[in-house]
Amino acid sequence: MSALDLLSREERNLYNPAFAGLLVARAVQGHEQEHRSGCHVLLAVLAPVMALTAPLRVVLPKSISATTVNWIERESAARVHLQQAAPLLGPLVKEGLLLGLRAETLVLEEQPLLRSTQRVPKRISADTPEVAQIQRASFFLGRWLPRAGDLHTIFTLLGVRP
């Protein structure tokens, strides 16, 4: 049984591989803008999972200058929400990552994941405010999460494993 089978019809319409692939690309775009380097695959999957988790998305900091440690202390329920959502959303985002690689919107070069510039527009547009908010959150997380340290530190702070 795939992860999509566990979702309602409305959730399947929103959380489909094409949209998940777009969210991975948004996280990579954010990472490249902030850090001028490719984004690690694990981070490129984690950011969309967090962005798709509504209770977590609404409490994200407004600025990338916020420290992850302080945010986790202030928003302690965020770890719980992520730990509950990750097993379901992780496989969906991985499907999106694979679709993005096949469609050449993402290019994998050794460890970092690089965005293919000609395929994904930088401007975020969407049919609904929620879809735009999810895309902006994924972009923000691609910029913000690496400021916490290396991958091991990020995953430990959030209480999840790759």
Side-chain angles (χ1 to χ4, degrees), residues 49-125:
V49 168
M50 291 177 71
L52 287 166
T53 307
L56 198 152
R57 183 175 62 246
V58 298
V59 297
L60 285 173
K62 302 298 180 218
S63 167
I64 62 165
S65 63
T67 65
T68 309
V69 173
N70 290 343
W71 178 75
I72 291 290
E73 287 176 2
R74 192 176 59 254
E75 303 294 344
S76 57
R79 288 180 73 171
V80 175
H81 292 299
L82 182 58
Q83 290 166 355
Q84 292 172 343
L88 176 65
L89 296 175
L92 294 172
V93 172
K94 288 175 188 173
E95 287 179 38
L97 169 65
L98 294 174
L99 180 63
L101 290 169
R102 281 193 302 268
E104 298 180 359
T105 59
L106 302 165
V107 179
L108 186 62
E109 294 181 355
E110 294 185 33
Q111 283 296 345
L113 180 70
L114 302 174
R115 184 185 65 79
S116 176
T117 57
Q118 72 273 20
R119 302 273 182 168
V120 179
K122 291 187 181 201
R123 186 172 161 268
I124 292 176
S125 61

Side-chain angles (χ1 to χ4, degrees), residues 12 14 24 50-52 58 68 76 81 86 115 134 140 144 147-148 161:
R12 278 194 308 270
L14 179 60
V24 172
M50 291 177 71
L52 287 166
V58 298
T68 309
S76 57
H81 292 299
R115 184 185 65 79
I134 293 168
F140 172 81
W144 179 62
R147 293 174 146 249
R161 290 189 295 178

